Amino acid sequence: MKTSTKILLSILTLLLLVWFVPCIIFQIQRPQLKWNWSKIDVNKISFPKDFIWGVATAAHQVEGYNTNNQWYLWESTVDATGNPMIARGQLSGMACDHWRRYPQDIRLMKELGVTSYRFSVEWSRVEPREGVFDTLAIKHYQEECDSLIAQGITPMVTLHHFTNPIWFEKKGAFEKMENVADFVRFTEVVYLALKDRVKLWCTINEPAVYVVGGYFQGDMPPGKKDPKLAAVVLRNILEAHVQAYWKIKSLPGGDQAKVGLVKNMTQMDPYRKWHLGDWIFANLIEGVFNGTTLNFMKTGHYRFSMPTMAKLIDENPKAIGSMDFIGLNYYSHYNYKFSFNLDKAFKARLLPGEIKTDMDYASYPEGFYRAIKTVSELGIPIMITENGVADAKDDSRAQFISQYLYALSKSISEGCNVQAYYYWTLIDNFEWSLGYDMKFGLYSLDMPTQRRTMKNGSKRYQEIISEKLNPL
Ligand code: BGC
């Protein structure tokens, strides 16, 4: 063999070893599934008899006039270039007026046939000033739970869904470990007030989303872009979950309550499966966004690492065993292309051929299945606390529901212990920095008249619930 051929062969072998072999290993570890939907019968689904069917909302997105939290202030802030923080300068305003109209909304839930409702208790209403609790606000949530229960709908309460009272935000919110005690005191008050009515509790909604939005991308309050602080806030907010969990467990009836953390499981995938750079970058973000939290909850070891940007290592053995279930929120995956230009590298992309939702991501039911499999490894029950689609035209909602519930059913038939599914969301509502432009609701909302109308696509959910709850 000629020397030049030998050199060429060696280079090729080396390339194969250092470039393609790791890509193959990564692909085996985290396969990016793609199913052939034309060969799948989405009607072949089955669910356990006592499966919980629900819808989910969050206080600030639906209640209206939550004027005492950091989001309310944020909505009327402009950035350095004078642009409003919320799309087209929208404000949450009266939202769905759910604070006053919840009895009507419970009738919508009955119409859908759901058996459970996940909603959040607005901290800034319950504790408008530090240490001062508003008994009327607490009474409101007690009455809301009573109304739900009277209709045979099980309440599931979230204690923190992105919003903080202004006083808490001013003292640094979860940037400071000592502030965690405030959240735990609030947890205790709400738990004691609702414990006879509520058995399902979510402590914190999507810690990593709160941190990425507020401390990395800056599109949520407090709008900081500081990876080192992000690492601290994630650690502290997970600590808040751990302490809130053990607080509830120490209170009367706490052993009966089912308490979980809600984890958004967006997968961070490579744009090109054969590109080592894409894999390394995607795995890095996957590690910080998903791995750090899951690993902490499983082992008590906290490891947040973004080379050259932030590194924080800590531990808290009390994290182990601090979830009776994991709440899983799933919407889609993000795909990353390696680039030395970080702005480009951090840009999430759609894969060629993927169907975009109204959000900047694709419909990807296979990812839902993957996410369920991933959290199954924790060995605890799973509740799907959010899943839904923004679809203003309502021309893909029915298909979305069919395909995602197929993926869910498949995971259950393969042994995953999923006990509940909450569709996000009941009514079109305030979608954070995107305002009212995103239409996730099963019902549309005409804000001036506050009229709610069931969308055509939502009937698919209604049908499935009715078939599964009343099998022939
Ligand atoms: C949040 C919801 C939000 C939904 C749709 C989730 O990350 O928990 O508050 O409306 O996604 O974007």
Side-chain angles (χ1 to χ4, degrees), residues 233-248:
V233 176
L234 184 61
R235 187 217 30 214
N236 294 353
I237 201 166
L238 290 175
E239 175 67 22
H241 158 79
V242 173
Q243 289 192 25
Y245 177 89
W246 293 114
K247 173 52 83 184
I248 294 177

Side-chain angles (χ1 to χ4, degrees), residues 35 197 218 439:
W35 296 337
R197 300 161 171 93
K439 313 285 187 195

Side-chain angles (χ1 to χ4, degrees), residues 61 161-162 205-206 209 264 329 331 359 361 386 424 431-432 440:
Q61 296 179 269
H161 197 123
F162 297 166
N205 181 69
E206 302 186 341
V209 173
N264 177 308
N329 288 0
Y331 290 91
M359 295 289 280
Y361 48 70
E386 282 180 36
W424 182 271
E431 179 53 31
W432 307 112
F440 278 93

Side-chain angles (χ1 to χ4, degrees), residues 36-54:
N36 182 351
W37 287 99
S38 65
K39 296 228 164 81
I40 290 176
D41 180 358
V42 289
N43 294 311
K44 281 210 174 126
I45 49 176
S46 63
F47 293 90
K49 253 200 2 246
D50 50 356
F51 195 75
I52 299 172
W53 295 99

Side-chain angles (χ1 to χ4, degrees), residues 24-296:
I24 294 166
I25 295 174
F26 289 142
Q27 174 66 21
I28 294 169
Q29 284 172 340
R30 294 207 299 119
Q32 296 166 281
L33 298 180
K34 187 98 196 82
W35 296 337
N36 182 351
W37 287 99
S38 65
K39 296 228 164 81
I40 290 176
D41 180 358
V42 289
N43 294 311
K44 281 210 174 126
I45 49 176
S46 63
F47 293 90
K49 253 200 2 246
D50 50 356
F51 195 75
I52 299 172
W53 295 99
V55 282
T57 66
H60 192 70
Q61 296 179 269
V62 294
E63 283 181 352
Y65 299 122
N66 278 330
T67 55
N68 205 12
N69 66 31
Q70 95 281 30
W71 264 91
Y72 184 78
L73 294 184
W74 176 253
E75 289 163 26
S76 34
T77 311
V78 289
D79 68 14
T81 52
N83 287 322
M85 294 304 185
I86 312 295
R88 302 187 289 108
Q90 297 173 83
L91 304 173
S92 58
M94 81 157 97
C96 309
D97 197 18
H98 184 66
W99 180 259
R100 292 189 306 158
R101 290 173 195 263
Y102 74 81
Q104 178 187 350
D105 294 337
I106 294 175
R107 289 200 286 278
L108 306 183
M109 296 174 211
K110 283 305 277 182
E111 187 181 23
L112 284 167
V114 296
T115 54
S116 187
Y117 176 42
R118 173 181 177 234
F119 61 100
S120 70
V121 165
E122 176 59 32
W123 185 1
S124 65
R125 286 196 191 258
V126 170
E127 191 179 356
R129 278 179 291 134
E130 186 170 357
V132 178
F133 290 88
D134 181 339
T135 44
L136 284 179
I138 295 174
K139 191 157 166 275
H140 168 94
Y141 290 114
Q142 287 173 328
E143 287 170 357
E144 184 169 348
C145 291
D146 287 340
S147 308
L148 286 163
I149 294 164
Q151 292 300 322
I153 299 174
T154 306
M156 173 190 255
V157 166
T158 305
L159 291 160
H160 189 275
H161 197 123
F162 297 166
T163 54
N164 297 324
I166 291 169
W167 60 262
F168 183 71
E169 190 76 0
K170 280 203 175 135
K171 63 192 271 197
F174 293 105
E175 291 173 25
K176 299 196 179 119
M177 185 61 108
E178 66 260 30
N179 293 349
V180 166
D182 293 325
F183 177 70
V184 180
R185 182 184 53 204
F186 161 72
T187 298
E188 177 168 0
V189 170
V190 176
Y191 172 76
L192 290 175
L194 299 182
K195 71 175 178 21
D196 297 333
R197 300 161 171 93
V198 179
K199 299 292 167 219
L200 300 176
W201 295 87
C202 302
T203 53
I204 312 267
N205 181 69
E206 302 186 341
V209 173
Y210 174 88
V211 169
V212 170
Y215 296 90
F216 197 80
Q217 284 173 346
D219 59 346
M220 286 179 153
K224 299 186 180 173
K225 294 184 182 177
D226 181 345
K228 285 196 176 66
L229 189 55
V232 171
V233 176
L234 184 61
R235 187 217 30 214
N236 294 353
I237 201 166
L238 290 175
E239 175 67 22
H241 158 79
V242 173
Q243 289 192 25
Y245 177 89
W246 293 114
K247 173 52 83 184
I248 294 177
K249 292 291 151 181
S250 74
L251 294 169
D255 51 344
Q256 306 294 313
K258 288 188 183 173
V259 187
L261 174 77
V262 173
K263 175 78 189 86
N264 177 308
M265 282 298 297
T266 306
Q267 294 100 2
M268 310 301 169
D269 285 338
Y271 184 80
R272 297 159 293 190
K273 281 187 207 149
W274 51 266
H275 197 293
L276 187 58
D278 291 9
W279 270 111
I280 291 175
F281 194 74
N283 282 353
L284 188 98
I285 309 180
E286 170 76 17
V288 173
F289 190 82
N290 292 322
T292 299
T293 301
L294 294 183
N295 189 47
F296 175 68

